[in-house]
Amino acid sequence: MDEALVRSLTPAVLAILVRRGADFAAAEDAVQDALVEAVRVWPDDPPRDPKGWLVTVAWRRFLDATRADTARRRREDRVDEEPASGPASGADDTLQLYFLCAHPSLTASSAVALTLRAVGGLTTRQIAQAYLVPEATMAQRVSRAKRTVSGVRFDRPGDVATVLRVLYLVFNEGYSGDVDLSAEAVRLTRQLAAVIDHPEVAGLLALMLLHHARRAARTAPDGSLVPLAEQDRGRWDTGAIAEGVEILQTALARGRLGEFQAQAAIAALHADAPTAEETDWAQIVEWYDELAALTDSPVVRLNRAVAIGEADGPRAGLAALAALDDTLPRYTAVAAYLHERDGDLATAARLYAQAAPKAPNLAERDHLTRQAARLNTRRER
């Protein structure tokens, strides 16, 4: 069975069930049952219309479940609404489902967590890492969100800001490993930008395009990570960069700066530099100052410390880093990098080795391990 196809169809099937009156939790259970059935049936009898097949089976599973509920008589009226067999609508429901999950009855953080888990396909651990909270805390948050919307009709879509946050986090997770997930986030953000004229929507699209343009250069043939400074810039997608910069410039001209526009401006400065050595780090620091004022994010301040280290020297970067919480994700890796730039190879090697087990993914862990080994080899010579 084509797992990528199933993953791409799942949000649309879920959206159809919700629109037909299924509460979110029941719809999600029904879709999961349909996917299990697909795993069993499709290898020997693949359907001509996979989406239509999933909709039909999921709806029947939903009806079976509701008939067994105490509200059986009230819900049995929906039997006549069972979709007819045959090709399902080709309309893309995924973006609509993002809005439906950003329900007014949920807080913004709960709506984001629920959408990432149910629609974005992220694990609870991935969501917890994105929010800098323990996995158990995030599991409780997702469970509470499901209970809150259980039995609620999804007829009042949520706000754009929540949907943007979800798309941003989905893209970040995809950018860290699953390229298809990033491409899906770009596609949905394009759709959103086509129907909503807002500078932050444009800013997010520009940010995604500028980062996604580097995807071919981010890994070596053996799958290892290639740091930005070492990437072959000839492999960057110049068309995506040009589009991203144009979208960003139009958004910035409107004078309504937001965090996604500020992040895109930083990405544009990296993309504009012919070589790593020609990067305008002083201007990047200024944009990080703007971004920190907008978000007050500790992760932004961590990245700002790196930029200061490049603009004003590694000791200035270490001074900025010292003001931050050393339990932040990637704090130790940043400290290792700045100590290496300052010539303290022993400390840098030790910190790289300490940072490796804390890495959020295997590729980054292997990269940090290799960095530690490289410096230890240099010291032994």
Side-chain angles (χ1 to χ4, degrees):
M1 185 174 66
D2 189 337
E3 293 184 6
L5 172 63
V6 171
R7 185 174 61 188
S8 69
L9 292 176
T10 300
V13 176
L14 184 55
I16 289 171
L17 265 65
V18 169
R19 284 207 312 271
R20 289 181 175 273
D23 68 66
F24 190 90
E28 186 180 15
D29 289 343
V31 172
Q32 291 302 315
D33 287 346
L35 295 178
V36 171
E37 185 69 5
V39 170
R40 187 182 70 82
V41 172
W42 285 14
D44 297 325
D45 186 18
R48 287 180 295 178
D49 175 26
K51 179 179 176 181
W53 189 98
L54 286 171
V55 169
T56 300
V57 173
W59 185 250
R60 287 173 179 166
R61 292 293 187 275
F62 168 71
L63 291 177
D64 288 344
T66 56
R67 289 192 190 102
D69 194 77
T70 56
R72 172 178 178 176
R73 292 182 181 178
R74 179 173 58 84
R75 294 180 184 269
E76 280 187 341
D77 292 338
R78 297 178 185 168
V79 173
D80 294 336
E81 298 177 16
E82 179 175 341
S85 57
S89 169
D92 185 354
D93 300 296
T94 307
L95 186 58
Q96 181 186 16
L97 189 56
Y98 273 64
F99 273 96
L100 292 175
C101 286
H103 197 271
S105 64
L106 295 172
T107 64
S109 60
S110 293
V112 170
L114 176 63
T115 314
L116 288 172
R117 183 70 185 91
V119 187
L122 274 63
T123 65
T124 303
R125 174 173 295 180
Q126 288 173 317
I127 303 169
Q129 289 172 343
Y131 271 91
L132 309 181
V133 300
E135 184 176 352
T137 300
M138 184 52 64
Q140 291 175 353
R141 186 178 299 177
V142 172
S143 295
R144 284 197 301 268
K146 287 184 177 181
R147 288 196 299 271
T148 299
V149 299
S150 180
V152 173
R153 285 194 62 88
F154 281 63
D155 53 0
R156 292 183 297 155
D159 62 44
V160 176
T162 300
V163 173
L164 288 179
R165 178 63 50 190
V166 174
L167 289 169
Y168 173 67
L169 292 174
V170 169
F171 177 84
N172 278 350
E173 284 299 331
Y175 194 67
S176 299
D178 190 336
V179 172
D180 289 339
L181 196 59
S182 288
E184 173 70 355
V186 173
R187 185 182 70 83
L188 293 173
T189 306
R190 280 191 188 280
Q191 289 187 7
L192 189 60
V195 296
I196 296 179
D197 181 22
H198 191 285
E200 272 295 83
V201 177
L204 179 58
L205 178 57
L207 174 64
M208 289 181 175
L209 289 170
L210 290 164
H211 279 304
H212 206 49
R214 302 200 300 258
R215 70 189 186 279
R218 291 187 72 248
T219 55
D222 63 359
S224 60
L225 285 181
V226 180
L228 177 61
E230 300 173 18
Q231 289 178 15
D232 178 359
R233 299 186 178 216
R235 299 185 67 196
W236 290 0
D237 184 343
T238 56
I241 290 172
E243 182 185 5
V245 169
E246 182 179 359
I247 291 171
L248 173 62
Q249 289 174 338
T250 301
L252 290 175
R254 300 176 67 173
R256 296 163 57 191
L257 182 64
E259 63 172 295
F260 295 126
Q261 295 169 74
Q263 287 192 60
I266 293 168
L269 286 167
H270 283 297
D272 188 55
T275 65
E277 293 73 23
E278 296 173 84
T279 303
D280 189 345
W281 285 105
Q283 194 173 166
I284 288 176
V285 171
E286 292 178 2
W287 276 111
Y288 270 122
D289 289 340
E290 294 277 5
L291 188 56
L294 288 166
T295 66
D296 195 30
S297 165
V299 175
V300 168
R301 297 187 186 280
L302 184 70
N303 292 331
R304 177 179 175 272
V306 176
I308 289 175
E310 299 289 354
D312 301 327
R315 295 195 179 181
L318 286 167
L321 187 66
L324 304 178
D325 184 350
D326 63 6
T327 64
L328 279 172
R330 296 189 172 91
Y331 180 101
T332 308
V334 169
Y337 173 74
L338 291 171
H339 277 290
E340 179 183 357
R341 294 235 17 246
D342 195 38
D344 187 350
L345 302 189
T347 299
R350 175 175 55 80
L351 290 173
Y352 277 130
Q354 289 177 4
K358 306 174 187 176
N361 55 66
L362 180 61
E364 191 169 335
R365 186 190 72 186
D366 290 346
H367 171 72
L368 293 169
T369 301
R370 281 193 295 270
Q371 293 294 83
R374 173 180 58 82
L375 293 186
N376 284 326
T377 300
R378 283 181 57 185
R379 291 171 54 226
E380 292 170 1
R381 290 176 181 170

